[in-house]
Amino acid sequence: MKFGVLMFPGSNCEHDAYHAIRKVLRQPAEFIWHQSTDLRDCQAIIVPGGFSYGDYLRTGAIARFSPVMGAVRRFADRGGLVLGICNGFQILLESGLLPGAMLRNRGLKYVCRQVSIRVENARIPFTGLAREGDVWNIPIGHMEGNYTLDADAFRWLERNRQVVFRYCNPDGEITAEANPNGSVANVAGICNPRGNVLGMMPHPERASEPLLGSEDGVRLFQSMIQSRSQA
Amino acid sequence: MRARVYVSLKKSVLDPQGKTIHHSLENIGFQQITEVRQGKFFEIDFAPELTREEVRAEVEKIAKDVLTNPVIEEFSYRIE
Amino acid sequence: MQANLSITADVLEQHNLTQAEYDRILSILGRCPNLTELGIFSVMWSEHCSYKSSKLQLKRLPTQGPQVLQGPGENAGIIDIGDGYAVAFKIESHNHPSFVEPYQGAATGVGGILRDIFTMGARPIAAMNSLRFGPPDQPRNRRIMEGVVAGIAGYGNCFGVPTVGGEVVFEGCYSQNPLVNAFALGLFRKDRIFYGKAAGIGNPVIYVGAKTGRDGIHGATMASAEFDEASESKRPNVQVGDPFLEKLLLEACLEAMKTGAVVGIQDMGAAGLTCSTCEMGGRADTGIEIDLAKVPQREEGMTPYEIMLSESQERMLLVAERGREEEIFRIFRKWEIDAVAIGEVTGDGMLRILERGRKVAEIPNRVLTDEAPLYRRPVAAPARTSPPPPPPGPLSMDWGGLLECFLASPNLSSREWVYRQYDHMVRTNTVQVPGADAAVVRVKNTRKALAMSLDGNGRYCRQDPRVGAQLAVAESCRNLVCAGARPLAATNCLNMGNPEKPEIMWQMTQVVEGMGEACRALGTPVTGGNVSLYNETLGEGIDPTPVIGMVGLIEPLSRLRGSWFVREGHRIVLLGPLVGRPTGYSSAVRHNLSRLQPSRENGADVYTGWVSRLPCPPLDLDLEVRVQRTCREGIEKGLILSAHDCSDGGLVVALAEMGFSRFGAGTLGADILLPSAEEVGEALFAEYPSRILVTVEEENLAALEDIAGLQGVPVTPLGWVVPDVLSVRRSGSVVLERSVVSLEKIWRNCLGGLFADPL
């Protein structure tokens, strides 16, 4: 499966995602410049982490105006797989591809550490190889990961099974201590109603080799690949 | 003509920075404060040939489409 | 030329130039300088740019070795790591700016060191920092530290370089003089190195990056003068960093270098356009002529003086091959960065500054760089004090309580509060996360990894600058060896007081002497670094604080070792002496231990108080080399499973640390049996160097003892890795017993607790 990795000015995890896809998963991958509107026949798009446009104004707020995001929206509308990681998640929120918004972390500081997340929905293409309740260890690194949405909309989101990952303790329990940023109901990742667009704050590409301390991120990428080989 | 745009979090949204500043102000002795909200402030200068109404229309659009995220933020502005 | 100002003693003083230096300027030019020229001389001849007080000293350091591709004198040192790869690395201080404005001072320090690396063509893959502040119980010190840490995080995280390690030290002398030393390391192919040379007469000189504003004017001379109360009002001088722009600049520069059209390139750091033009010309023996009207400017009405001395950040100067400018401009346009030809390389060796074609300054390049003044300043050793006598008889104390006090010290506790704020994982190379002895990043597509460590020891350097510096070098190497690396080369940052005081100059000569001796013994040449002098406020100076940045190679990567227990049942072995020979140090250790109160009431920092009363421990460099060799060989042969340097806090702190939990792994304890001959307190808490704690499988103990025997290194099997509890026994009785979980809690909560309140 061919992956496209978007590059915005200020992206800085694009090489990490590219490395995981090419060297770990042995799949073709290509960088796509933010000015481009051609997604080069990619079957999945990764909106990588980093500080697009320096995170100036608001995280992800300027990147959404890039020409490439129009193409990504059309791609998603046709059912293409779109994965937003960290800043990529923030861009998808700003673009309206996913509901909600990000606030500054509850502790007001940037947080970089390993966290545990629980798979809440294993029926989408990103988690097909997992079982609901599985605990993955995947690092986070962000200043604005405090996901918020008004109560009604959030109930709707939960009812729709759009909460894909929640921060949990190593035993898989959803606790206040396990929430690193104050995110509503420990949300770490959500998808659109159709399940083909996923945004998540943890970095699966940083958990893709044993040397890095965890390989759990690989299961996410493998799920994506498998979902398309079955289709 | 200059527009001054103020962007802040909606009342219904928790403002972690404002809350922390409030708490800290109390700690250093400012006890008479009931709330602190923090936000952003923009100064936008427009070409002189625009009319006030044109500037108003532009500012509204910029504030709505770019400067704020309507999910969490609201804005107000002043033209001078 | 512009009209001459009359250059009075006041004007000279404002420019930190002496009358003798001014007389030299007059004889060089054969006329009076104008103000722009005076400004140029003042920054280039400042301590910061010219190293005029330290250069003669630094020449005594070893700088050569087969692994060294570039020694001191360039933007960064470069070493060969094999298979066609090289790394560029350097450390630099940003002490004064960080005191004036902690966030921006630290941020721009990080920005500056990153530019030093990528200006050579290397992509930065790791950053570290060495920080020193006053005691954290004072709000002002906390505020400085909070700002500095946030500044480092704000810049490094956005730029996309992992901040993988470093050190944080608290000591009274840094209250008014915090130290912020930033280190960066970059990777490249060794046939793709770029230098800051303006070669090729007629080649265009191109300005790239941020526009020039009035920020930081005279930052370089500010870093060369003591602070006083008026410094508070120097705030407008501080530069503001833009890490986003720097990230774009990095990508654009690396892309431009690939075209082959770049002849030379240098960043505009301290003294901005002045320093980059004359240094690039000086290195190539050429001249440079630029027209200031072409320089992109952020503010209106800037004078030539201001443009030449501005320290606006995120700017570079490059010399391109004539006729290929457009290739370069195209790349910078793609990254939306200004790139403008502002002049050209000439053959006359002059730095010539025009403003719309009119000459506003003209000075020979070489007098600004290689021929800047050099001083052999007076040196005087201070009087020495002798250590107190040891107490009679063996000591007994609540050793467990003392250990808890030590672990609760801001100087020994977990640094998690700091490094959580740094993205230490971006680029997915970080294979040893912060908290271990050394930071380790792998080199993708090879079997290699790079280990690095920053170490300083102002406290011991105050007591004995020569041995203190040796200890810092030895510890730095030991840290790398514990991770499984072979130390390759060092960079250093000398943080000192006012060099015009003879005793400070004495400290400097001693520090350089000791650093040189240790680097020679350990085979790690010094490839560059930085000197920060005048770290004094209101006459109060810092301890002499050399900070060593050591880089080593792990190959193959399977030799990587952690500094923590791996599994229950492993043997715990000490390489090196359990206690050192009887000296003034051992007497002082016993004497001071007898006066300690192991109490944590009122946040007392027992450890820092204790250790600052001790003299410098002795170091036997020959033994140090052999201990490190033993450890390396034990790792290479696969015997040693983990290794941890015993340094700050002594043996028992190191033992506790080895058992603390990491993500996905719980705590482990140790069952330790001390030989009955030793004094308990001295064995557990003294900071003797040349000691490494290692763990091995039971059946490999004999093989390790054989290696140590051949090296003539003492080796003591101390005990076993066990669950949950750290216990120390001697002659059948328990002298210390604590649950590791409870120790860890104390250790982990110290800094977080101190910084709980954000303002």
Side-chain angles (χ1 to χ4, degrees):
Chain A
M1 180 159 107
K2 184 174 167 190
F3 286 76
V5 181
L6 304 191
M7 268 178 115
F8 297 96
S11 295
N12 64 29
C13 303
E14 75 277 26
H15 288 278
D16 304 353
Y18 183 86
H19 172 84
I21 301 299
R22 290 290 296 265
K23 298 288 161 111
V24 181
L25 289 137
R26 308 262 166 210
Q27 299 293 314
E30 197 171 325
F31 288 117
I32 299 171
W33 187 240
H34 67 115
Q35 296 285 11
S36 167
T37 52
D38 176 5
L39 300 185
R40 325 268 304 166
D41 298 324
C42 289
Q43 293 151 286
I45 294 296
I46 296 178
V47 193
F51 288 68
S52 59
Y53 295 92
D55 271 359
Y56 299 152
L57 188 57
R58 286 185 311 281
T59 57
I62 303 179
R64 81 174 157 115
F65 293 105
S66 294
V68 75
M69 286 311 293
V72 169
R73 178 186 302 277
R74 288 188 292 277
F75 177 76
D77 287 347
R78 291 196 308 270
L81 294 185
V82 178
L83 168 64
I85 302 168
C86 196
N87 190 229
F89 183 11
Q90 295 160 343
I91 294 170
L92 295 179
L93 292 172
E94 284 283 340
S95 309
L97 280 159
L98 291 172
M102 287 296 177
L103 296 170
R104 190 86 175 261
N105 292 347
R106 183 181 45 193
L108 303 183
K109 291 186 164 43
Y110 189 96
V111 179
C112 178
R113 54 178 273 217
Q114 278 283 357
V115 296
S116 299
I117 55 173
R118 192 172 79 187
V119 179
E120 302 287 292
N121 178 349
R123 285 185 248 165
I124 59 169
F126 301 91
T127 49
L129 295 175
R131 275 177 316 198
E132 279 161 28
D134 279 0
V135 175
W136 288 355
N137 295 328
I138 299 188
I140 53 167
H142 59 251
M143 178 89 97
E144 270 101 4
N146 183 351
Y147 179 76
T148 186
L149 189 65
D150 70 67
D152 286 345
F154 187 71
R155 268 194 294 279
W156 180 248
L157 197 76
E158 281 194 301
R159 204 171 307 137
N160 261 343
R161 309 288 316 273
Q162 283 175 253
V163 175
V164 181
F165 302 113
R166 285 184 212 263
Y167 300 108
C168 64
N169 67 18
D171 300 323
E173 293 155 355
I174 309 297
T175 63
E177 298 76 57
N179 186 340
N181 51 31
S183 183
V184 59
N186 284 40
V187 164
I190 59 164
C191 64
N192 63 347
R194 195 169 165 185
N196 64 318
V197 177
L198 172 70
M200 62 192 294
M201 290 315 291
H203 286 266
E205 79 282 11
R206 295 185 182 188
S208 56
E209 292 166 83
L211 261 174
L212 303 175
S214 169
E215 284 185 285
D216 292 341
V218 173
R219 292 202 270 167
L220 183 137
F221 296 120
Q222 277 171 344
S223 296
M224 293 171 74
I225 296 162
Q226 167 151 329
S227 75
R228 284 319 189 237
S229 66
Q230 286 169 344
Chain B
M1 223 173 295
R2 170 171 291 181
R4 296 172 187 272
V5 184
Y6 303 84
V7 173
S8 57
L9 290 171
K10 287 179 182 168
K11 278 279 179 192
S12 59
V13 173
L14 173 77
D15 173 4
Q17 294 178 77
K19 228 175 121 180
T20 304
I21 295 165
H22 185 184
H23 176 69
S24 302
L25 287 172
E26 280 181 341
N27 279 353
I28 56 176
F30 297 95
Q31 302 290 344
Q32 308 301 320
I33 298 168
T34 55
E35 195 182 8
V36 178
R37 306 284 291 177
Q38 72 121 48
K40 301 188 190 104
F41 164 60
F42 303 84
E43 275 181 5
I44 307 174
D45 289 330
F46 287 89
E49 55 271 21
L50 265 64
T51 67
R52 207 174 174 81
E53 273 321 297
E54 284 167 333
V55 167
R56 185 177 299 279
E58 294 269 295
V59 169
E60 294 252 2
K61 197 161 164 44
I62 291 169
K64 222 175 265 162
D65 294 351
V66 184
L67 301 184
T68 57
N69 178 340
V71 179
I72 44 172
E73 291 170 323
E74 57 195 9
F75 67 90
S76 62
Y77 64 92
R78 215 169 67 213
I79 294 169
E80 49 199 50
Chain C
M1 306 278 269
Q2 72 197 59
N4 280 335
L5 276 183
S6 63
I7 294 186
T8 60
D10 266 2
V11 173
L12 289 184
E13 203 193 317
Q14 281 160 17
H15 286 82
N16 278 321
L17 285 166
T18 64
Q19 186 61 45
E21 286 168 343
Y22 183 61
D23 291 343
R24 197 159 151 210
I25 293 171
L26 291 179
S27 83
I28 287 166
L29 295 179
R31 60 179 166 81
C32 285
N34 60 36
L35 189 63
T36 304
E37 289 168 329
L38 191 76
I40 290 173
F41 273 107
S42 81
V43 290
M44 288 312 296
W45 286 8
S46 72
E47 196 64 62
H48 189 85
C49 291
S50 71
Y51 293 81
K52 58 190 169 189
S53 299
S54 58
K55 205 170 198 168
L56 292 169
Q57 300 296 332
L58 296 173
K59 281 192 173 150
R60 293 152 55 216
L61 291 171
T63 58
Q64 303 289 316
Q67 70 274 43
V68 177
L69 297 176
Q70 175 64 53
E74 264 286 345
N75 288 303
I78 302 176
I79 54 173
D80 191 338
I81 59 163
D83 298 330
Y85 286 96
V87 294
F89 64 100
K90 192 186 179 185
I91 189 167
E92 202 160 83
S93 64
H94 231 215
N95 304 337
H96 301 265
S98 302
F99 178 55
V100 177
E101 164 49 49
Y103 184 99
Q104 292 299 344
T108 52
V110 173
I113 195 69
L114 290 170
R115 281 195 301 284
D116 277 335
I117 301 304
F118 72 76
T119 191
M120 306 204 74
R123 181 180 281 279
I125 60 165
M128 301 196 289
N129 49 76
S130 168
L131 310 178
R132 283 175 169 72
F133 306 101
D137 53 348
Q138 289 165 33
R140 183 187 163 92
N141 294 332
R142 281 207 300 279
R143 226 159 24 235
I144 292 174
M145 171 158 162
E146 188 124 23
V148 164
V149 171
I152 291 168
Y155 207 99
N157 295 355
C158 179
F159 179 83
V161 67
T163 301
V164 293
E167 52 167 7
V168 183
V169 176
F170 303 96
E171 190 81 54
C173 68
Y174 305 113
S175 283
Q176 300 291 317
N177 302 282
L179 301 187
V180 176
N181 294 180
F183 167 100
L185 176 142
L187 177 74
F188 48 178
R189 302 292 303 183
K190 78 180 196 195
D191 53 2
R192 302 263 176 81
I193 300 174
F194 284 80
Y195 292 101
K197 285 193 177 112
I201 295 167
N203 277 338
V205 174
I206 299 174
Y207 171 114
V208 301
K211 292 180 173 30
T212 297
R214 289 192 174 90
D215 23 2
I217 289 174
H218 265 215
T221 49
M222 177 168 99
S224 308
E226 283 186 38
F227 265 85
D228 52 37
E229 275 150 358
S231 301
E232 295 275 338
S233 65
K234 284 190 175 166
R235 215 171 266 257
N237 274 355
V238 169
Q239 320 87 301
V240 172
D242 181 351
F244 169 59
L245 181 59
E246 175 123 320
K247 163 73 172 164
L248 303 185
L249 195 57
L250 161 79
E251 300 297 343
C253 286
L254 294 186
E255 203 172 317
M257 288 169 179
K258 276 193 196 147
T259 63
V262 175
V263 173
I265 178 165
Q266 174 155 343
D267 88 288
M268 293 189 221
L273 198 49
T274 294
C275 188
S276 52
T277 45
C278 68
E279 283 192 358
M280 286 186 80
R283 289 198 193 100
D285 263 323
T286 54
I288 283 193
E289 180 178 298
I290 58 171
D291 194 321
L292 299 182
K294 295 176 180 157
V295 170
Q297 292 164 42
R298 203 180 65 217
E299 297 178 68
E300 278 169 31
M302 289 184 70
T303 64
Y305 179 94
E306 290 170 328
I307 296 171
M308 287 306 289
L309 269 56
S310 160
E311 294 194 347
S312 291
Q313 298 288 295
E314 292 92 21
R315 303 179 299 162
M316 308 275 256
L317 196 68
L318 65 85
V319 171
E321 215 170 278
R322 185 162 44 169
R324 298 185 66 183
E325 297 90 329
E326 192 44 45
E327 289 174 60
I328 289 177
F329 292 150
R330 198 165 48 232
I331 289 165
F332 282 89
R333 269 200 303 274
K334 170 185 161 191
W335 291 98
E336 298 174 33
I337 291 178
D338 280 334
V340 185
I342 59 168
E344 65 173 45
V345 179
T346 67
D348 63 4
M350 300 297 267
L351 172 64
R352 192 174 304 106
I353 312 297
L354 312 177
E355 194 185 33
R356 284 184 193 77
R358 186 177 57 98
K359 189 156 70 183
V360 293
E362 187 175 52
I363 305 171
N365 271 328
R366 295 193 65 90
V367 306
L368 294 170
T369 56
D370 298 353
E371 289 158 27
L374 283 184
Y375 294 125
R376 194 178 292 278
R377 297 198 190 274
V379 168
R384 292 222 175 203
T385 50
S386 56
L395 284 171
S396 98
M397 193 189 296
D398 172 11
W399 301 115
L402 188 60
L403 172 59
E404 288 173 349
C405 288
F406 272 34
L407 292 173
S409 164
N411 275 321
L412 293 179
S413 62
S414 166
R415 268 65 190 118
E416 202 172 298
W417 181 88
V418 177
Y419 66 72
R420 279 258 166 101
Q421 298 183 54
Y422 303 149
D423 184 347
H424 49 266
M425 300 180 187
V426 64
R427 304 205 65 77
T428 59
N429 296 322
T430 310
V431 294
Q432 189 107 287
V433 296
D437 283 4
V440 182
V441 294
R442 57 133 174 224
V443 180
K444 282 187 180 126
N445 307 319
T446 70
R447 301 159 70 223
K448 301 172 200 289
L450 296 157
M452 56 204 102
S453 175
L454 290 186
D455 294 277
N457 210 328
R459 212 154 39 220
Y460 289 145
C461 287
R462 177 181 63 221
Q463 309 284 357
D464 186 334
R466 181 169 148 231
V467 177
Q470 289 179 347
L471 285 166
V473 173
E475 182 176 347
S476 227
C477 282
R478 215 182 303 129
N479 283 333
L480 301 196
V481 166
C482 287
R486 182 164 56 95
L488 289 180
T491 178
N492 76 95
C493 192
L494 294 184
N495 304 279
M496 322 278 292
N498 179 350
E500 292 156 42
K501 297 179 181 168
E503 67 274 18
I504 303 285
M505 268 320 281
W506 175 80
Q507 290 173 344
M508 191 196 296
T509 59
Q510 292 288 299
V511 160
V512 171
E513 186 73 27
M515 192 188 301
E517 286 164 343
C519 284
R520 270 184 210 100
L522 290 155
T524 53
V526 178
T527 63
N530 163 250
V531 179
S532 169
L533 300 175
Y534 299 94
N535 288 288
E536 299 195 5
T537 299
L538 303 172
E540 197 70 39
I542 58 165
D543 293 342
T545 313
V547 172
I548 310 293
M550 194 66 73
V551 176
L553 182 65
I554 303 177
E555 187 173 24
L557 188 46
S558 56
R559 287 184 182 158
L560 172 66
R561 293 294 180 275
S563 49
W564 37 78
F565 297 141
V566 180
R567 205 173 307 125
E568 270 177 63
H570 286 163
R571 279 307 278 268
I572 302 167
V573 181
L574 180 72
L575 304 180
L578 185 56
V579 297
R581 281 173 292 111
T583 54
Y585 178 74
S586 51
S587 300
V589 164
R590 292 191 212 177
H591 175 80
N592 283 298
L593 271 175
S594 70
R595 298 169 24 176
L596 276 189
Q597 294 294 333
S599 151
R600 285 194 285 134
E601 272 166 43
N602 307 323
D605 183 351
V606 175
Y607 167 74
T608 304
W610 181 68
V611 78
S612 47
R613 286 192 296 274
L614 294 180
C616 183
L619 174 67
D620 175 348
L621 269 175
D622 181 57
L623 173 66
E624 178 71 42
V625 169
R626 287 180 282 123
V627 167
Q628 292 189 18
R629 211 179 278 150
T630 304
C631 184
R632 264 173 55 195
E633 212 179 315
I635 292 174
E636 283 163 18
K637 294 219 163 98
L639 307 172
I640 292 175
L641 301 168
S642 67
H644 186 27
D645 163 41
C646 293
S647 55
D648 292 1
L651 180 77
V652 72
V653 167
L655 282 167
E657 287 170 345
M658 289 184 88
F660 290 157
S661 67
R662 289 163 298 117
F663 190 86
T667 54
L668 284 168
D671 183 15
I672 300 299
L673 202 60
L674 278 187
S676 52
E678 306 302 347
E679 188 74 50
V680 176
E682 189 185 356
L684 294 185
F685 295 98
E687 298 187 349
Y688 289 108
S690 314
R691 299 185 303 168
I692 299 176
L693 277 167
V694 302
T695 61
V696 295
E697 298 270 13
E698 183 74 48
E699 67 263 29
N700 289 330
L701 178 59
L704 181 64
E705 284 173 330
D706 287 347
I707 296 173
L710 282 174
Q711 294 289 345
V713 165
V715 43
T716 315
L718 285 176
W720 288 265
V721 180
V722 298
D724 308 331
V725 175
L726 171 62
S727 67
V728 178
R729 288 176 290 144
R730 196 184 67 155
S731 315
S733 61
V734 173
V735 295
L736 181 156
E737 192 169 64
R738 284 290 185 279
S739 113
V740 178
V741 172
S742 72
L743 292 175
E744 177 170 337
K745 206 166 162 194
I746 294 168
W747 175 78
R748 226 175 255 289
N749 290 344
C750 167
L751 284 189
L754 279 165
F755 284 91
D757 191 13
L759 268 196

